[in-house]
Amino acid sequence: MPDVNTYFPDPTRPRPVLPGEYPLWEEALGLVNRDLAATLPDQEPLRLMALPAWDDGDGLDGARGEDLYVTMANGEWQGNCLEADAENGHADAVASLADAVASVADAAQETVSELLWQAWPVCGEHGLGMHSRVTDGEVAWWCSGGRSPREPEHIRAAVGALDTLGRPHRPNRKQRRRER
Ligand SMILES: [Zn+2]
């Protein structure tokens, strides 16, 4: 006789999202995981986990009735579930990759910084924790800058592109430094 849990999976336990279930969210997480690998190479990639949505009666709980969370490799997370945008809450309703990236970046930041007890991601120039910001339809990591007026707030890199900055093992970059 099949286990009762086959019919009634534990609704309090998150399940891993399978490849292809939430393509935009998965693509967004792929970008954020590139930044994680570039900045905290010892960390395993973050994961998307799903839990049955709380029915708050707003009719926006989506076809699958699930909330998505960005978790560490071990399934732990901090903070709220992913939201498509400010007005249309549920993850099923995400309209664009930029919306998904903005939401995943914030959720990943909360999970990583709270569970590892450190600011993440950190600006390589100023040593400050950065925040995601949407500019020209692209989501980027924004830094508030240094104390000097000559170091104003700035966009560090697009989300997913932190690995293009200051990587010492890039031969062409080393070459340029030596020539200076
Ligand atoms: Zn900075």
Side-chain angles (χ1 to χ4, degrees):
M1 187 170 155
D3 191 281
V4 66
N5 291 322
T6 312
Y7 300 114
F8 302 104
D10 183 348
T12 63
R13 283 190 58 189
R15 68 170 185 87
V17 167
L18 302 174
E21 282 189 290
Y22 295 96
L24 278 179
W25 294 112
E26 292 161 42
E27 191 176 348
L29 186 66
L31 290 171
V32 173
N33 269 332
R34 284 184 58 158
D35 288 343
L36 186 72
T39 52
L40 298 175
D42 292 340
Q43 290 298 317
E44 296 285 314
L46 302 169
R47 303 167 71 187
L48 280 179
M49 303 284 270
L51 269 175
W54 293 102
D55 184 2
D56 52 10
D58 63 1
L60 289 175
D61 288 327
R64 273 166 280 205
E66 290 181 318
D67 285 332
L68 301 186
Y69 295 84
V70 175
T71 79
M72 305 294 278
N74 67 4
E76 290 179 26
W77 80 89
Q78 285 283 309
N80 296 324
C81 64
L82 294 174
E83 295 200 343
D85 61 49
E87 286 150 25
N88 196 353
H90 194 266
D92 277 347
V94 69
S96 73
L97 179 61
D99 287 341
V101 171
S103 191
V104 168
D106 289 349
Q109 176 167 53
E110 185 144 10
T111 287
V112 171
S113 59
E114 291 291 325
L115 292 175
L116 297 183
W117 291 28
Q118 64 184 78
W120 183 83
V122 170
C123 173
E125 287 175 48
H126 300 110
L128 299 170
M130 300 187 286
H131 296 281
S132 75
R133 187 171 273 195
V134 181
T135 49
D136 299 330
E138 189 180 61
V139 191
W141 292 114
W142 170 87
C143 165
S144 60
R147 287 188 181 168
S148 153
R150 284 175 300 173
E151 300 174 286
E153 61 175 272
H154 65 110
I155 294 292
R156 179 76 170 144
V159 172
L162 286 182
D163 64 343
T164 63
L165 300 169
R167 288 288 280 256
H169 68 255
R170 293 207 161 190
N172 55 351
R173 201 169 263 267
K174 258 183 193 163
Q175 201 79 37
R176 257 183 263 134
R177 281 208 182 121
R178 266 192 225 114
E179 282 162 10
R180 268 183 207 152

